[in-house]
């Protein structure tokens, strides 16, 4: 009688073990894929884990508004947040229509000391601007923007003051071709759509050419 019960227990344990072995590889692969995805996300700009990285998940594009040469070595590069809406079905996009907390630019690491100031609507953001150099590229992070509402975000202007040797688009941003890669964040920092802006403003117009010297009118001598 006892041997019969022991055999039943052994058979039940064997069945449980078989079921565990059957499902364990699938569970392990799913966990491994999730971890691998997270590690991959941390190895590329913006080097953080987010719910949505797709450019279409960002309702605003950071577009150039002006470039001003302030001195022989310092340039002010300004940007606006152009509302483009939600091109894809994304909870992040719907959230960020009214919530823009931080922006980051992928930059050249040699520019760590070149950004001398940033402003939002003319007010300095130097105290909440950071240049990170621990990643594959430099990261210029401008945080605590605290922009809420589509009207306020669309009307805002963000400016970067950069000095030589990184006072141009080609030298500040790591693409080195005049384009720039950026990411926008909501206040919870769980949404960080990444985009590349292919356009930049035209160079400042050249000063007008000086007028030609006035030529006197010559009259014939009297007869």
């Amino acid at each position: 009688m006892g041997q019969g019960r022991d055999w039943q227990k052994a058979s039940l344990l064997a069945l449980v073990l078989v079921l565990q072995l059957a499902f364990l590889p699938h569970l392990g692969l799913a966990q491994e894929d999730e971890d691998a995805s997270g590690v991959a996300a941390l190895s590329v700009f913006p080097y953080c884990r987010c719910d949505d990285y797709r450019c279409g998940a960002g309702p605003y594009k950071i577009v150039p508004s002006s470039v001003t040469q302030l001195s022989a070595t310092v340039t002010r590069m300004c940007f606006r947040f152009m509302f483009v809406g939600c091109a894809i079905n994304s909870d992040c996009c719907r959230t960020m229509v009214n919530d823009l907390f931080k922006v980051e630019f992928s930059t050249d690491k040699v520019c760590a000391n070149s950004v001398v100031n940033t402003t939002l609507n003319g007010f300095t953001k130097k105290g909440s601007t950071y240049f990170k150099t621990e990643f594959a590229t430099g990261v210029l992070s401008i945080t605590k923007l605290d922009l809420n509402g589509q009207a306020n975000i669309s009307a805002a202007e963000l400016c970067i003051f950069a000095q030589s040797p990184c006072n141009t688009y080609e030298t500040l941003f790591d693409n080195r071709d005049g384009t720039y890669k950026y990411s926008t964040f909501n206040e919870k920092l769980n949404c960080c759509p990444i985009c590349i802006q292919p356009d930049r403003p035209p160079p400042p117009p050249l000063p007008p050419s000086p007028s030609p010297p006035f030529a006197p009118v010559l009259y014939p001598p009297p007869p």
Side-chain angles (χ1 to χ4, degrees), residues 60-87:
Y60 298 93
K61 304 300 181 193
I62 300 180
V63 297
S65 57
S66 67
V67 175
T68 306
Q69 195 76 31
L70 300 179
S71 69
T73 59
V74 178
T75 302
R76 181 180 63 206
M77 293 173 271
C78 295
F79 306 85
R80 290 195 177 275
F81 304 101
M82 182 176 70
F83 180 73
V84 295
C86 297

Side-chain angles (χ1 to χ4, degrees), residues 191-203:
C191 300
C192 57
I194 307 163
C195 297
I196 297 178
Q197 175 55 248
D199 302 321
R200 57 175 177 155

